[in-house]
Amino acid sequence: MPIAVDIDVMLARRKMSVGELAERVGITPANLAVLKNGRAKAVRFTTLAALCEVLDCQPGDLLRHEPDHAPAEPATNPVQASAPPAPRPTGR
């Protein structure tokens, strides 16, 4: 998934356990583990806001985008793409 979750980083910086964070945010340790390990399909804004409040951070400190792959190369040769089109037969 292209969204990476950095809750571990913030927990380490704050010297806080997963259990303490879960309790202070108001979610189960199991649900926090799903989010922390990148297995969540969604996160409520209220949960994200609570995480940010407890960890004293911004959403961007917890979530970041990691593209799945590099952009595709152009399909045509740049030299061919800039050449004028070939004349079309007139059919006479």
Side-chain angles (χ1 to χ4, degrees):
M1 174 176 282
I3 301 297
V5 182
D6 290 329
I7 291 176
D8 282 340
V9 173
M10 294 308 294
L11 283 171
R13 287 182 183 166
R14 302 298 187 255
K15 296 180 170 77
M16 188 181 297
S17 70
V18 172
E20 181 183 353
L21 179 61
E23 184 178 322
R24 290 179 62 183
V25 169
I27 61 175
T28 67
N31 283 342
L32 182 56
V34 167
L35 179 60
K36 182 175 77 72
N37 295 323
R39 295 189 316 262
K41 298 292 181 193
V43 61
R44 293 178 188 265
F45 280 174
T46 54
T47 302
L48 183 58
L51 286 166
C52 289
E53 186 173 329
V54 170
L55 293 170
D56 188 29
C57 66
Q58 294 293 313
D61 297 326
L62 301 176
L63 305 172
R64 63 188 156 80
H65 181 259
E66 285 187 345
D68 285 334
H69 50 74
E73 291 294 320
T76 59
N77 182 336
V79 174
Q80 291 174 340
S82 64
R88 296 173 64 185
T90 60
R92 292 185 202 176

